[in-house]
Structures are given as C-alpha cells and as structure tokens.
Amino acid sequence: MTVRSPLVSADWLKENLDAPDLRVVEATWYPPFVHHFQTGLEAYTSGHIPGSVFFDIDHVCDPDSPFPHTLPPAHVFSARVRKLGLGDGNRLIVYDRNRFFASARVWWMFRLMGLSDVFVLDGGLGAWTDAGGELEDMAPVAVERHFTPRVRADLMKSTEQVEAIAKDKSIPIIDGRPHARFIGEAKEPRADLESGHIPGSVSLPGDELIDPAGLLKSEAELHALFAERGIDPIAQMVATCGSGVTAAILALAAATLGNGLVAVYDGSWTEWASDSKRPIETGVSG
C-alpha cells in the first residue's frame, strides 16, 4: 500500500497556515528521565506556531494503564481531542521541538483513530523559525469539534501479539531504543526494568533516522538504514522502543518510503520487561 508523504515542509505550512480546514498541533514531549529544563507545555507557552494547540501524550492516554502514555480507548481519545478543537473535516499538522518527540507519536495516534489527513512538520519548530515563521505566546480559544473515531487495529500490536510474532518470526520486529540498551550493555532509564530486547528483534535506533538539523533523513538514506539490517522498508513490520514514542518515528520513516502499515507495539519495552516471565535477549540478535 502506498501513501502520501506524511511530512510537510515549513515553507508549505507558511503558505497554507490560514487554510480554514487546517489545524496545527504542538506535541513536544521530553522524557522524564532526561531532566529537561522545561516541560513540553512550558515550551509551548513560551512561544508556538500561531494558532497551534498543545497535545500532551501524558494526558491523552489510558487513565487505567500502569504504563506511560498508553493509547486511550476510542471514546477517551475522542473526548479529549474534541476539547482541543480537533475533529472531523480537519487536516492536522503536528510538530514538536525535540526531534519528532512526540509529533510522530501523535501522528500515529490520529491515524490509528481513523484520521487520514494528519501530517508531521519536518524539522519541527526549528525548521519553522529557520524559514522565518513567526511565533505567538497566546493559546487559541479552542472551539469544540466532533471527532468520530474509526479505529484501525492493524496499526497497533499488543504484548500477546508481539509474543506470537517473536515465536513464529512471521514479520520483523524493529527496536528504536539506543543500541547499548538493546544489547543489554546500558541500563534502562526506568530503574526497575532489565535491559536487552525482545527475542529476534532488530536494532534501529530512532536517532539514526534524523539528520543534524532535526529533519528526517532522505529517502535514500532511510532505505539504506533499513536495508543494512536486512529489512524491507515497504514490508509489514512491528516497531517497538521504550514506551511507544520512538517506535512511532520508525513508523513515520517507513511511511515516507510508502509503507503506511507499520504497527507500533504500544506498551513496548516498558510493558515487555515488566513481567519477568517474558524472555529477554542480550547481545546482537541474529
């Protein structure tokens, strides 16, 4: 299945910012273990793309899950994005200021909930300001808009499904965490988790997909990164990481190459390693 590019450029957004159906969403998220000097919301409040609303993945999540920012049930997702003024008939442009953390995750969430017209600003806020885009510090007054969820279960995998895939090796599992955590040489940032990886999975650190300017790498470079690991980027695969954020960057990269069917393991390593009965490999897989 081929798809439109999931990316838009800063120049395109500048030209189309006033389109009546366009809504811009900031999704900046800093992992709690990096001790950033501000939260995503604080960064948004300091200055954002005009008209953009703030989407917090730690708020639009399953309130009953023990794992971080787990995808919420459809009715919870719908209720929370409606209050942001996001809904049926909108085209969404999602951006962040932290190397696709968590614009790719929010892009994936909306697609899973059935919205096809959702895109990511390549290079995020940095690309916007480099292109001469202005900022504002006042949040818009959101007008609640109806959102009809049409869940695409094919874009998410549960732990049980990933366990089955790991056993029968039916499709590749790609892990976006730093390689040292994947092979078990570096500790997990969540102190109660053992490092290592899902048996048979392949390491493709998400940061390798992004160039120094914060843009997603070229299609040729992305093809090469997948090919180096023996992965066909337009074939079916499952993306995983620490908690489902970097995994969405892997899915976004594949989508730029025409593969819009990459599924994300939502619980990712946080859920997998939380049960000592699940197998954990260390070293280089395969």
Side-chain angles (χ1 to χ4, degrees), residues 81-100:
V81 302
R82 283 202 311 264
K83 293 184 182 302
L84 294 175
L86 309 175
D88 300 345
N90 285 155
R91 286 183 295 163
L92 304 187
I93 309 299
V94 191
Y95 76 94
D96 62 58
R97 57 190 82 206
N98 187 31
R99 298 174 66 81
F100 297 95

Side-chain angles (χ1 to χ4, degrees), residues 6 45 70 83 86 102 110 123 139 159 161 172 190-191 200 221 226 230 234 248:
T45 303
T70 305
K83 293 184 182 302
L86 309 175
F110 273 103
T159 297
Q161 290 171 314
R190 297 170 180 86
E221 291 171 307
F226 281 101
I234 60 172

Side-chain angles (χ1 to χ4, degrees), residues 20 24 47 70 123 147 155 183 191 197 202 221 224:
V24 184
T70 305
F147 181 87
L155 294 181
I183 63 176
H197 57 266
V202 177
E221 291 171 307

Side-chain angles (χ1 to χ4, degrees), residues 149-212:
R150 299 178 177 88
V151 178
R152 290 188 54 185
D154 60 311
L155 294 181
M156 184 173 71
K157 296 298 182 185
S158 67
T159 297
E160 292 73 24
Q161 290 171 314
V162 173
E163 285 178 324
I165 292 168
K167 286 180 181 179
D168 64 26
K169 298 178 173 57
S170 54
I171 59 176
I173 301 172
I174 304 179
D175 192 318
R177 290 174 300 149
H179 189 67
R181 286 164 57 189
F182 177 88
I183 63 176
E185 287 187 356
K187 293 182 178 180
E188 286 295 310
R190 297 170 180 86
D192 56 336
L193 297 181
E194 183 179 349
S195 61
H197 57 266
I198 298 168
S201 58
V202 177
S203 174
L204 176 51
D207 203 51
E208 292 189 17
L209 306 175
I210 305 166
D211 73 15

Side-chain angles (χ1 to χ4, degrees), residues 251-269:
L252 180 69
T256 67
L257 302 178
N259 182 0
L261 297 177
V262 174
V264 169
Y265 173 23
D266 193 28
S268 283
W269 190 250

Side-chain angles (χ1 to χ4, degrees), residues 96-116:
D96 62 58
R97 57 190 82 206
N98 187 31
R99 298 174 66 81
F100 297 95
F101 276 70
S103 56
R105 169 80 183 183
V106 174
W107 165 82
W108 169 78
M109 292 172 73
F110 273 103
R111 291 180 65 244
L112 188 144
M113 290 294 172
L115 185 67
S116 58

